[in-house]
Amino acid sequence: MKSRTTPNRLRVAAAAAVSMAMGTAGLTALTGTASAAADDVTVQYRTSATGATADQAEPWLKVRNTGDSALPLSTVKVRYYFKADSAGAAYRFACSWAVKGCANVTGTFGTLANPTATADRYLDIGFTAGAGTLSPGADTGDMQLRFHRADWQPLNQSDDYSFSASRSSYADWPKITAQVSGSTVWGTAPEGNEPTDPPTDPPAGGQSLFDDFNYSGSSDPRISANGWSVRSNSGRPGVPGATWSPENVTFASSGGNSVMNLRTSTAGTPESTKQTEVLTKTMKFKNGTYAARVRFSDAPVSGPDGDRLVQTFFTINDLKAPMADDYAEYDFEYLPNGGWGEPANILYTTSWETYNPDPWQAVNQHTESRQSWAGWHDLVLTIDDSTIKYYVDGRLFGTHDAAYLPERPMSINFNQWLIDLAGQTSTTPRSYDEQVDYVLHVKDQVLSPAEVTAKISAYRTAGTTFEDTVPNS
């Protein structure tokens, strides 16, 4: 068990807000050797940056449908493997041009479970619904992709598993893998990173909450009708004197899907600070699977950077008394500019048994990763009768002990707030965005990240934007 003892720790504030507002605040690397009989796609590769070192790696790709039926590109994920220049190196993805449109191509970085001499990171290329469908025999056309170090230092690509300096024109390249609906169908992963448990269809039935956040704005009456509250009451967590601003919760189309945007803004004073939170009105969620696709941000939308920001997806119930043993909380918390004694980017997953706000005493277990997590990420939390597991982009991020299992149901929450105003003392206005694509809870069923992906795809194929069959008790 690990605990953080900083008095301004989020949960002192969050539980107080819960009592006032009924809450506050991936795929295990499914890469490997494909079965030739199962190939549904091939991946072609070339590069326009052939040097052993380069300002940017430039993997240009084409994906071809070699099956006999139409292939929705939103079900396809392509993985490029590389060796990081250092353990702390962070990378940024960009799309220079794509026949399918760069807005329909996504790039997410991850860390391999079993690093090798030529690969310890990967870049997952995915597609939004806006990329459309490939007919049999068709391909995506050019995708001129690139990535670079966040500090813009030259990168070494000579030891990267998926890199080939000799590929100056497109050709099939099995050192890049491809998955369709979570199942690897093309390519060979670096040794030791093959799948061990083939993904299966999601379990049939199951009482579920799914929301695609397809709303017109924070005052849309369907939000309340669907069981959500957009917070407006004052109180913790965050900067004392700040307000919680419903108008800063907006909805827009992104890549063919509706996305919820939480904006937090400040001009360096409590009065100018507006934080955002969306939470379920009832606490009815306990064991099972929780999932959300969340976009974390390192930089502000406008204005100077540096504020000690917390971007979250979590579940929580109320602390009935100091050190009450029926308290529960499970967090994904991203701090893009540090805080709580951390100097820079850090992602926490934390499982809480209980705490005492004054004097501060915490009983929790946490796992952390000190690197940039800017961009879209698939976050999955599973709770059964013996363990709590956290996944990020399909990779197991942390496993926490049975001592932290919940005794009572919880709410589901998203919020973005400022720990304090000490990280950036400027009075120039600035704002930060956290975005949420969807949320899913399946009661009393532990789904793999691949099963979560399949379930979300099934909802969207059926045109379902909201479902809640989870009973209130």
Side-chain angles (χ1 to χ4, degrees), residues 190-221:
E191 184 177 0
N193 291 281
E194 298 80 7
T196 55
D197 296 308
T200 60
D201 291 333
Q207 296 167 322
S208 302
L209 166 70
F210 168 72
D211 202 326
D212 219 6
F213 294 115
N214 188 16
Y215 302 108
S216 61
S218 61
S219 60
D220 189 327

Side-chain angles (χ1 to χ4, degrees), residues 69-390:
S69 59
L71 178 66
L73 279 170
S74 61
T75 67
V76 176
K77 184 171 287 185
V78 176
R79 182 165 289 185
Y80 181 95
Y81 303 89
F82 66 98
K83 180 77 171 179
D85 293 333
S86 67
Y91 294 85
R92 299 287 187 269
F93 167 77
C95 171
S96 297
W97 187 79
V99 172
K100 292 292 184 180
C102 281
N104 296 317
V105 180
T106 64
T108 304
F109 294 97
T111 304
L112 285 179
N114 298 298
T116 71
T118 59
D120 55 12
R121 305 279 185 93
Y122 59 81
L123 169 63
D124 270 347
I125 304 301
F127 302 89
T128 70
T133 299
L134 287 183
S135 301
D139 65 46
T140 59
D142 257 344
M143 293 189 292
Q144 298 181 10
L145 312 178
R146 54 191 170 89
F147 66 91
H148 60 85
R149 286 181 49 159
D151 58 9
W152 279 105
Q153 293 299 305
L155 54 80
N156 175 28
Q157 57 182 353
S158 63
D159 59 353
D160 290 352
Y161 178 85
S162 294
F163 170 72
S164 174
S166 64
R167 297 280 173 157
S168 58
S169 60
Y170 280 113
D172 291 355
W173 189 234
K175 285 194 171 184
I176 296 174
T177 59
Q179 302 165 17
V180 176
S181 297
S183 179
T184 303
V185 297
W186 169 263
T188 303
E191 184 177 0
N193 291 281
E194 298 80 7
T196 55
D197 296 308
T200 60
D201 291 333
Q207 296 167 322
S208 302
L209 166 70
F210 168 72
D211 202 326
D212 219 6
F213 294 115
N214 188 16
Y215 302 108
S216 61
S218 61
S219 60
D220 189 327
R222 294 177 299 157
I223 294 177
S224 180
N226 288 346
W228 295 100
S229 173
V230 182
R231 185 176 176 185
S232 60
N233 63 292
S234 61
R236 298 175 175 179
V239 175
T243 58
W244 294 87
S245 177
E247 62 269 22
N248 276 14
V249 178
T250 58
F251 300 86
S253 178
S254 176
N257 297 321
S258 180
V259 171
M260 177 171 69
N261 193 82
L262 306 178
R263 175 161 293 183
T264 291
S265 58
T266 188
T269 64
E271 296 76 19
S272 67
T273 302
K274 296 182 178 181
Q275 305 174 135
T276 44
E277 179 167 31
V278 175
L279 61 151
T280 59
K281 294 189 289 185
T282 58
M283 291 186 285
K284 62 178 184 177
F285 308 98
K286 193 180 175 189
N287 286 16
T289 300
Y290 300 80
R293 183 165 173 80
V294 177
R295 184 179 183 273
F296 296 130
S297 300
D298 277 352
V301 178
S302 60
D305 197 2
D307 289 289
R308 293 170 181 167
L309 192 70
V310 185
Q311 301 174 337
T312 75
F313 165 45
F314 64 102
T315 72
I316 192 172
N317 61 30
D318 51 335
L319 183 73
K320 294 185 176 297
M323 303 303 288
D325 61 6
D326 62 350
Y327 176 72
E329 180 187 348
Y330 307 94
D331 306 326
F332 289 92
E333 296 167 318
Y334 181 54
L335 282 61
N337 293 314
W340 299 328
E342 293 289 334
N345 330 67
I346 187 167
L347 175 65
Y348 285 108
T349 60
T350 309
S351 302
W352 287 79
E353 169 60 18
T354 191
Y355 71 92
N356 184 5
D358 187 21
W360 179 251
Q361 182 180 358
V363 182
N364 64 33
Q365 184 175 8
H366 64 90
T367 305
E368 66 280 335
S369 172
R370 293 172 176 84
Q371 66 177 66
S372 171
W373 288 91
W376 284 104
H377 296 285
D378 295 308
L379 310 179
V380 176
L381 160 69
T382 65
I383 303 173
D384 59 21
D385 290 330
S386 62
T387 192
I388 304 123
K389 292 185 177 181
Y390 297 86

Side-chain angles (χ1 to χ4, degrees), residues 10-46:
L10 161 64
R11 288 302 141 267
V12 177
V18 169
S19 62
M20 294 183 291
M22 293 195 69
T24 65
L27 304 174
T28 300
L30 291 173
T31 55
T33 304
S35 165
D39 284 357
D40 293 316
V41 302
T42 59
V43 178
Q44 295 189 328
Y45 161 80
R46 62 162 292 197

